[in-house]
Amino acid sequence: MWGRGALLRTRTVSLAWGRGWSAAAPCSAPAEPSRVRALIYGHHGDPAKVVELKNLELAAMGGSDVHVKMLAAPINPSDINMIQGNYGLLPKLPAVGGNEGVGQVVAVGGSVTGVKPGDWVIPANAGLGTWRTEAVFSEEALIGVPSDIPLQSAATLSVNPCTAYRMLMDFEQLQPGDWVIQNASNSGVGQAVIQIAAALGLRTINVVRDRPDLQELTDRLKSLGAEHVLTEEELRKHEMKNFFKDMPQPRLALNCVGGKSSTELLRHLAPGGTMVTYGGMAKQPVIASVSQLIFKDLKLRGFWLSQWKKDHSPAQFKELILTLCGLIGRGQLTAPACSEVPLQDYERALEASMQPFVSSKQILTMC
């Protein structure tokens, strides 16, 4: 997806990066070039300082291309990390921000067979640049999704729920009634883990940071299917030994924090269990004691969805997407709490997405 050289021009800069370079306008009809808008960064740094809203021209369509009108695109932690230059996958600069979102097909090239005008589509891979109003993409860069699922669910489908599902399925052979423990339980992945686990008959212990609205957060996570919600401080208390006497110890732990939080997850894992790390919010290393590795035979693994996609075929990723769409259709998987923000108010959305204890994902809307 990175090197298919279509050219796109702005009024102030020239950009050459992949066939995805293009953007557009209001949601009613294709716009004049001056109304094509995208959030662009020309160098890495603080998103508040390097991201700019620019006018772009829509690239010409080829036979295998799809003209997409973007509807909504979230701001994920990985988007922020990519802009800062602290991520495992970085696009050539200048780049359009955003790795996830949903759009509606406006027109297709003559050789396109997988989608048609009116269909909803999401990115097949990271780096597509979804923070724009309109674009021309190659057909292979897109996956069709049902247009009867909620917009916010479609916009947030291709990263966090996929990560949650794969971590629950790929590391331990869990059976209904088994327990899973996770930190960062209020994150997009955390909320998806709670719901997908419940749909699979698994039970979850969900660890969160203490905060002023803790009871409200606890009630919301339990409404999603969380069995227990604990704070980091509670998990460290001596009394937790009695808590785990009344239930089987978890065989799977999901770590998005690192540092002391991950140490506590390991402490409560069942012998032979696995801790999967998929993030490092604390910016501190994962530390496991020698005794945990020798006497409990705990396993430490990592998960990155981009690598999973490299190791699997596009058809397998599409199958994963459709499995999750089935959960959404049955009411078993909903989008995380979201705040919709118009594209032109992107500065407010970026600022909110980087604040601590934010319980609402920022979603940029294009019309």
Side-chain angles (χ1 to χ4, degrees):
M1 283 183 57
W2 296 104
R4 303 189 59 188
L7 177 68
L8 177 131
R9 298 174 298 278
T10 75
R11 289 189 164 188
T12 56
V13 294
S14 293
L15 305 172
W17 173 58
R19 189 160 299 211
W21 272 104
S22 54
C27 293
S28 55
E32 296 300 323
S34 62
R35 295 295 298 149
V36 175
R37 297 168 296 158
L39 294 178
I40 298 171
Y41 56 103
H43 57 277
H44 297 299
D46 181 354
K49 297 179 180 178
V50 301
V51 175
E52 298 178 279
L53 182 61
K54 292 184 176 290
N55 294 330
L56 308 177
E57 289 183 12
L58 191 64
M61 279 185 60
S64 61
D65 289 337
V66 180
H67 178 187
V68 177
K69 175 179 60 182
M70 293 303 298
L71 301 176
I75 300 176
N76 289 318
S78 57
D79 300 323
I80 299 298
N81 294 152
M82 194 173 282
I83 295 168
Q84 293 169 332
N86 302 321
Y87 198 65
L89 178 67
L90 298 176
K92 295 179 181 179
L93 301 180
V96 175
N99 293 292
E100 187 178 35
V102 61
Q104 187 172 40
V105 175
V106 175
V108 299
S111 61
V112 173
T113 59
V115 295
K116 63 184 183 303
D119 286 353
W120 280 13
V121 289
I122 62 174
N125 288 294
L128 196 62
T130 56
W131 296 350
R132 45 175 135 190
T133 52
E134 197 164 341
V136 171
F137 300 120
S138 63
E139 181 184 11
E140 65 186 20
L142 304 169
I143 294 176
V145 297
S147 59
D148 59 353
I149 63 176
L151 179 68
Q152 292 183 352
S153 293
T156 58
L157 176 61
S158 64
V159 177
N160 293 333
C162 293
T163 296
Y165 187 89
R166 294 266 53 103
M167 291 193 300
L168 288 170
M169 299 296 292
D170 293 352
F171 295 93
E172 288 284 342
Q173 299 299 311
L174 300 175
Q175 302 297 323
D178 285 345
W179 288 88
V180 176
I181 187 170
Q182 66 167 341
N183 57 24
S185 303
N186 188 39
S187 67
V189 171
Q191 293 180 55
V193 164
I194 291 170
Q195 296 176 84
I196 295 170
L200 296 172
L202 305 174
R203 308 172 78 177
T204 56
I205 301 166
N206 302 277
V207 184
V208 299
R209 291 179 293 177
D210 198 4
R211 64 193 68 207
D213 62 343
L214 179 61
Q215 188 58 53
E216 180 182 342
L217 173 60
T218 298
D219 292 343
R220 183 159 58 82
L221 295 183
K222 286 190 173 182
S223 74
L224 297 177
E227 188 94 12
H228 298 287
V229 179
L230 306 170
T231 66
E232 299 276 4
E233 293 76 12
E234 287 173 328
L235 193 63
R236 288 195 288 268
K237 289 182 177 179
H238 181 75
E239 291 78 13
M240 289 307 298
K241 288 186 177 180
N242 296 326
F243 177 85
F244 283 100
K245 282 181 180 178
D246 298 329
M247 65 179 71
Q249 286 183 295
R251 293 172 50 199
L252 179 66
L254 306 178
N255 168 47
C256 187
V257 179
K260 293 180 180 179
S261 179
S262 58
T263 299
E264 288 301 315
L265 294 188
L266 285 171
R267 194 160 66 89
H268 297 295
L269 261 184
T274 301
M275 183 173 78
V276 182
T277 293
Y278 67 98
M281 293 169 55
K283 295 182 171 60
Q284 296 174 355
V286 172
I287 299 176
S289 69
V290 171
S291 63
Q292 289 174 326
L293 297 177
I294 295 176
F295 303 122
K296 292 187 69 176
D297 190 26
L298 299 184
K299 299 180 286 291
L300 304 181
R301 300 290 302 276
F303 182 82
W304 185 31
L305 183 63
S306 294
Q307 186 62 50
W308 184 91
K309 287 196 263 189
K310 289 179 184 178
D311 296 338
H312 295 78
S313 68
Q316 288 173 304
F317 183 55
K318 185 171 184 178
E319 181 182 1
L320 170 59
I321 290 294
L322 294 179
T323 296
L324 295 170
C325 286
L327 293 177
I328 294 170
R330 294 191 292 273
Q332 295 175 304
L333 178 63
T334 60
C338 297
S339 296
E340 295 188 2
V341 181
L343 183 66
Q344 61 267 25
D345 295 333
Y346 72 95
E347 292 171 310
R348 172 163 58 89
L350 285 172
E351 181 181 3
S353 70
M354 298 175 69
Q355 297 300 313
F357 305 119
V358 174
S359 297
S360 183
K361 181 173 289 294
Q362 305 298 300
I363 293 189
L364 298 168
T365 56
M366 311 306 172
C367 55

